[in-house]
Amino acid sequence: MISEGGSFMRGMLIGVAFCIVITLLGHIKLSHEPTTSHEHHHIHAPNKEEVLKLMGTEKMELSESIQVYCIILVRPKDLSLWAAARTTWSKHCDKADFYSSEHMKVFDSIVLDSNDMWVMMRKAIQMAYKNHKDKYNWFFISQPSTFAIIENLKYFLLKKDPSEPFYIGHTVKDGDLDYVNIAGGIVLSLECVNRFVDLMNKPDKCPETGSIIWKVSEDKQLAMCLKHKGVLAENAEDSEGKNVFNTKSVGTLIKEAMANDPQKVVEGCCSDMAITFSGLSPNNMQVMMYGVYRLRAYGHSFNDALVFLPPPNSDND
């Protein structure tokens, strides 16, 4: 007869063996499952060497084919930023309009009669599409504290088809949702705007009012709506994998780079083809304008393959 101690030991061994089998089976099962990945995609700017190989006529056609309409959402508290954006980078858009929550005597704007940023964004996109869909094929949405280099945006969009549903910028993950952070600016292709406007007629999928329980930011609301049309957020990067839409200012990014690796401040900071920087003061905008468009190194010339000129009525370089 087997003793109680022997029975106990045998039970322990069987239990351990059973656990090992279950663990192995679990690993086998997991190995056949697809690995979880972010829903957003990573898309890159064109390779400079490829652009240099383009024929002269093709370069001209490409540079003229990209027409950017800028939507800048403003409220009365943004007055000084509004003024700075109006006199600096926004003049390089093919057309820029300020969409305001209420009427302001100081500057002309398109009045939306709402202080809710999600309602403002919805109305602004809808109006922009209705009035400008036949002339502009890319729509750039930003806050007044964002500085955008439109020429770099056009370069990034060079070989991207606006008839495809592009939703581009600096992506952020929040739970199961990937969205483009409005601080860095949001770029929508004509087709993406077309799909979004269609969704506005379906309140069950894209409601004008957010959740009663908690407030969801306008950029997250946009992503939630577009998801119903199969449009996912795409993170924009240069050919080296660096972000080109930035949700922070140049100064902040430099400080972070110095803290991370003082020997590689420039390499660790920002892309040479950066499109946006955010969180700027009005004075910062003027400094950015000077650095990007006016400062020149005498005797040094850039051999860019393409030229993107600001609109004829712009008094900026």
Side-chain angles (χ1 to χ4, degrees):
M1 181 179 288
I2 302 173
S3 66
E4 288 185 6
S7 297
F8 176 76
M9 289 301 296
R10 178 180 290 181
M12 284 287 291
L13 289 171
I14 292 172
V16 171
F18 180 75
C19 289
I20 291 171
V21 170
I22 292 297
T23 303
L24 289 172
L25 287 173
H27 284 301
I28 291 169
K29 181 181 178 182
L30 287 172
S31 67
H32 285 85
E33 292 178 350
T35 55
T36 304
S37 61
H38 295 308
E39 291 187 351
H40 70 255
H41 305 138
H42 296 259
I43 57 175
H44 296 87
N47 183 284
K48 292 181 181 180
E49 285 69 28
E50 291 179 3
V51 175
L52 288 169
K53 294 176 183 177
L54 296 174
M55 299 295 290
T57 54
E58 189 178 2
K59 291 177 185 177
M60 183 63 69
E61 289 173 0
L62 278 171
S63 63
E64 293 179 350
S65 69
I66 303 168
Q67 296 292 308
V68 178
Y69 178 77
C70 296
I71 298 170
I72 304 158
L73 303 174
V74 293
R75 292 185 284 194
K77 68 181 182 66
D78 304 320
L79 200 58
S80 59
L81 287 167
W82 184 348
R86 182 171 171 267
T87 58
T88 57
W89 68 266
S90 67
K91 291 188 175 185
H92 287 253
C93 302
D94 291 295
K95 181 173 177 58
D97 279 322
F98 291 82
Y99 289 78
S100 60
S101 57
E102 59 190 79
H103 176 70
M104 295 292 292
K105 294 181 179 179
V106 183
F107 300 122
D108 290 332
S109 65
I110 298 171
V111 182
L112 300 173
D113 291 321
S114 176
N115 198 46
D116 184 287
M117 290 304 294
W118 170 232
V119 175
M120 287 177 65
M121 180 185 283
R122 282 173 58 99
K123 285 185 175 182
I125 294 174
Q126 190 173 34
M127 294 172 71
Y129 181 74
K130 178 182 178 181
N131 298 325
H132 304 294
K133 63 181 178 182
D134 295 328
K135 188 170 182 181
Y136 305 100
N137 47 16
W138 294 96
F139 295 78
F140 175 64
I141 307 167
S142 80
Q143 299 172 325
S145 59
T146 300
F147 186 97
I149 304 162
I150 299 300
E151 293 80 3
N152 285 0
L153 172 58
K154 289 187 174 185
Y155 177 78
F156 182 85
L157 298 173
L158 196 59
K159 290 195 172 184
K160 294 169 180 61
D161 186 352
S163 65
E164 295 294 324
F166 282 104
Y167 164 43
I168 306 169
H170 183 107
T171 57
V172 180
K173 190 169 184 65
D174 183 11
D176 294 331
L177 181 70
D178 285 294
Y179 67 97
V180 173
N181 191 330
I182 192 172
I186 299 171
V187 176
L188 305 175
S189 65
L190 181 61
E191 173 58 21
C192 186
V193 175
N194 178 43
R195 295 190 187 191
F196 179 66
V197 170
D198 180 61
L199 274 169
M200 290 186 190
N201 301 318
K202 302 171 182 176
D204 58 320
K205 295 182 178 179
C206 189
E208 181 173 327
T209 55
S211 170
I212 299 174
I213 301 174
W214 64 83
K215 183 70 176 174
V216 178
S217 64
E218 66 275 14
D219 44 14
K220 292 181 185 177
Q221 290 273 15
L222 178 63
M224 290 162 65
C225 291
L226 290 175
K227 206 170 181 181
H228 286 292
K229 282 288 189 177
V231 183
L232 302 179
E234 299 187 278
N235 193 65
E237 301 164 0
D238 65 14
S239 57
E240 297 178 353
K242 292 182 181 177
N243 287 327
V244 291
F245 288 83
N246 296 291
T247 58
K248 300 176 182 178
S249 67
V250 177
T252 300
L253 292 170
I254 289 174
K255 287 178 182 177
E256 290 178 356
M258 289 177 69
N260 294 331
D261 190 346
Q263 303 303 316
K264 295 182 179 179
V265 175
V266 176
E267 295 86 346
C269 168
C270 320
S271 168
D272 291 348
M273 295 302 295
I275 295 170
T276 63
F277 294 97
S278 190
L280 277 70
S281 68
N283 287 341
N284 290 156
M285 287 221 184
Q286 298 294 343
V287 172
M288 286 291 296
M289 197 68 187
Y290 168 74
V292 172
Y293 292 105
R294 298 177 187 146
L295 179 63
R296 295 288 183 270
Y298 184 78
H300 182 80
S301 61
F302 291 94
N303 297 313
D304 291 332
L306 294 162
V307 175
F308 298 110
L309 297 174
N313 61 344
S314 172
D315 59 4
N316 283 326
D317 292 339

